[in-house]
């Protein structure tokens, strides 16, 4: 079973901004200082995007390559897949996704008005969601 990563959608003010990164069938340019220790297990897994304290979408990880500057490029499929929003605390860089990944939304599935991540996390702690 492949491992999954999470990453903050830094610079995105809305979900539409994340979608624009994939416009024209291209994947966003994503580099990191450190390659995951378990990088081989991440290939075929997904990178889950966090926006406003919620996991909102994912892209399949194709591989890792080193740049001339010594940084690591995370190569993604040029397709953005929307997922059922799940609260997720902000962090720097990438992290391994713990637990079961959020399910993909079906074509045309409406998630309604998603709760803000912080509120959804508090309600989940109380057992109300």
């Amino acid at each position: 079973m492949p491992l999954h990563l999470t990453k903050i959608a830094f610079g995105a003010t809305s979900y539409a901004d994340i979608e624009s990164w994939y416009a024209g069938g291209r994947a966003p340019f994503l580099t990191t200082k450190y390659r995951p220790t378990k990088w081989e297990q991440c290939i075929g897994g997904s990178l889950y995007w966090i926006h406003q304290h919620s996991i909102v979408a994912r892209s399949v990880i194709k591989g890792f390559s080193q740049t001339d500057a010594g940084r690591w490029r995370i190569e993604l499929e040029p397709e953005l897949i929307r997922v059922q929003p799940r609260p997720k605390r902000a962090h720097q860089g990438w992290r391994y996704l713990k637990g079961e990944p959020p399910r993909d939304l079906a074509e045309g599935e409406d998630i309604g008005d998603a709760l803000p991540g912080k509120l959804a996390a508090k309600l989940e702690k109380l057992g109300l969601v």
Side-chain angles (χ1 to χ4, degrees):
M1 180 172 198
L3 291 176
H4 306 290
L5 302 176
T6 60
K7 177 122 176 68
I8 300 292
F10 183 75
T13 57
S14 67
Y15 182 76
D17 286 344
I18 301 170
E19 287 179 316
S20 73
W21 298 345
Y22 289 82
R26 61 182 166 80
F29 186 75
L30 185 64
T31 61
T32 182
K33 187 173 183 179
Y34 300 106
R35 180 181 67 183
T37 311
K38 303 173 186 176
W39 67 274
E40 291 170 317
Q41 295 172 14
C42 293
I43 297 171
S46 292
L47 180 108
Y48 284 85
W49 291 105
I50 301 170
H51 182 260
Q52 295 182 344
H53 301 282
S54 289
I55 295 175
V56 294
R58 70 179 182 92
S59 289
V60 176
I61 299 171
K62 292 193 318 186
F64 295 85
S65 61
Q66 196 164 25
T67 66
D68 293 338
R71 295 180 61 85
W72 289 93
R73 179 176 292 135
I74 301 174
E75 299 164 1
L76 302 172
E77 291 286 341
E79 178 185 12
L80 184 66
I81 303 164
R82 198 147 193 183
V83 299
Q84 181 69 35
R86 178 192 294 175
K88 181 70 173 150
R89 205 169 61 85
H91 56 73
Q92 289 184 341
W94 56 264
R95 298 285 184 272
Y96 293 110
L97 179 67
K98 294 179 180 157
E100 194 68 27
R103 71 172 180 82
D104 294 349
L105 292 180
E107 185 70 33
E109 182 178 0
D110 184 20
I111 58 169
D113 294 332
L115 291 173
K118 287 183 179 179
L119 177 61
K122 288 179 182 179
L123 292 173
E124 188 174 316
K125 261 187 185 175
L126 295 171
L128 299 173
V129 191

